[in-house]
Amino acid sequence: MNGTTTPEYPVNVVVWGENRHEQTQQEVRDIYPDGMHTTIKEGIEENLGERARVQTVTLDDPEHGLTEELLADTDVLVWWGHAAHAEVDDEIVARVHRHVLAGMGLLVLHSGHWSKIFTRLMGTTCTLRWRSKDDRELVWTVDPTHPIARGIPHPFTIPAQEMYGEQFDVPAPDELVFLSTFTGGEVFRSGMTYRRGHGRIFYFSPGDQDYPVYHQEEVRRVISNGVEWAKSLRPERATPTLLRYDREDFYNGHGYEGAMEN
């Protein structure tokens, strides 16, 4: 794995989509005729061009599309789920979790806050306040120096969107990049980063299936910036391990087997 994102070293991205609303609701299919996952993929390609190789997989694919071989070759996994969190196999969740700890980047979008993989990584309920009626969301940049905020207007407006509000039961983020406000006076930490093991995680809340949010230029740019940021800078993927070091030997750790073995 190479931390530089160039046409010679593109970021390998997999967009995972639940792809259920598009199959069962005509109004969602009208907005996303090829599925939300395809629209998200197109937004990343639009912004990153030759600096990214992007493919999509869905819940109903064998192994939910998330085979060991695919994940081993994935720099960043983008996750959108909503109605079928419980259908994601625990074995696959454990597989994704292992790859994140070893250095695979993860972007969790909108209602993916309640996915098995995000709640496992956060260790909390990840619940929040919500209102599904049409609302206007203002997305404010809290940290304009952060790479994910590059080129993003301050603020930008999402004309129609579901309201997400505090309390959002997640750990304090490593970095708060975006904060959203709504017409009911609610606020929400809508763009946050975390690090788990060697993996980088970015949660970004805009993107309810009932609205054309993933067609919006600013949202597509945030996701693309997040993809580049989440790519590991480490030369290879490896889970953090407990090693024993001899005195005055700073480089050659020895393996450990015992009570702490994972």
Side-chain angles (χ1 to χ4, degrees):
M1 305 254 173
N2 188 296
T4 304
T5 301
T6 66
E8 291 76 28
Y9 297 101
V11 55
N12 291 318
V13 186
V14 171
V15 179
W16 188 91
E18 187 180 273
N19 197 36
R20 288 292 172 80
H21 293 285
E22 301 93 314
Q23 305 301 319
T24 60
Q25 297 175 246
Q26 184 61 49
E27 60 271 24
V28 178
R29 190 157 53 246
D30 289 343
I31 300 170
Y32 299 107
D34 298 315
M36 278 179 281
H37 51 287
T38 301
T39 302
I40 294 167
K41 170 182 180 287
E42 291 169 348
I44 297 169
E45 293 173 331
E46 175 185 285
N47 281 280
L48 300 188
E50 293 182 353
R51 302 201 309 276
R53 286 197 294 259
V54 193
Q55 60 182 303
T56 64
V57 295
T58 66
L59 174 66
D60 290 328
D61 291 333
E63 300 184 62
H64 308 319
L66 302 173
T67 64
E68 179 65 38
E69 294 73 22
L70 180 79
L71 292 175
D73 195 44
T74 299
D75 293 313
V76 180
L77 176 64
V78 182
W79 190 284
W80 194 100
H82 179 230
H85 296 314
E87 295 182 38
V88 179
D89 188 88
D90 290 342
E91 183 177 338
I92 304 301
V93 175
R95 181 184 298 167
V96 174
H97 183 265
R98 173 168 50 81
H99 275 277
V100 171
L101 296 184
M104 183 180 71
L106 178 67
L107 265 65
V108 177
L109 303 178
H110 193 58
S111 45
H113 69 88
W114 236 8
S115 64
K116 288 181 178 180
I117 183 58
F118 191 65
T119 55
R120 178 167 179 172
L121 286 162
M122 296 297 106
T124 59
T125 68
C126 298
T127 55
L128 44 77
R129 294 190 178 198
W130 64 278
R131 180 175 60 252
S132 59
K133 186 178 179 181
D134 283 9
D135 210 321
R136 179 226 62 201
E137 179 175 358
L138 290 178
V139 182
W140 303 85
T141 301
V142 176
D143 184 358
T145 67
H146 199 283
I148 297 177
R150 186 178 65 251
I152 305 302
H154 174 62
F156 71 87
T157 302
I158 300 176
Q161 166 69 323
E162 181 180 40
M163 186 281 290
Y164 273 11
E166 298 290 343
Q167 180 205 3
F168 187 17
D169 182 27
V170 290
D174 294 332
E175 299 156 315
L176 179 61
V177 185
F178 301 107
L179 178 77
S180 288
T181 58
F182 297 85
T183 57
E186 299 89 357
V187 298
F188 189 70
R189 291 168 290 167
S190 53
M192 299 183 288
T193 71
Y194 295 91
R195 290 161 179 82
R196 294 292 185 268
H198 293 317
R200 292 181 170 191
I201 303 165
F202 177 51
Y203 173 76
F204 188 55
S205 65
D208 184 74
Q209 70 277 354
D210 292 332
Y211 308 102
V213 177
Y214 293 124
H215 291 287
Q216 187 165 334
E217 178 183 351
E218 297 90 343
V219 172
R220 290 157 80 99
R221 181 65 182 270
V222 169
I223 294 171
S224 301
N225 287 350
V227 162
E228 288 201 294
W229 172 85
K231 182 181 179 182
S232 176
L233 301 178
R234 296 177 60 84
E236 60 184 21
R237 185 169 297 175
T239 304
T241 57
L242 180 66
L243 300 176
R244 178 182 62 80
Y245 289 85
D246 293 330
R247 193 167 14 188
E248 298 183 1
D249 182 353
F250 305 110
Y251 305 104
N252 301 301
H254 301 277
Y256 176 80
E257 295 182 4
M260 298 294 292
E261 184 181 8
N262 292 320

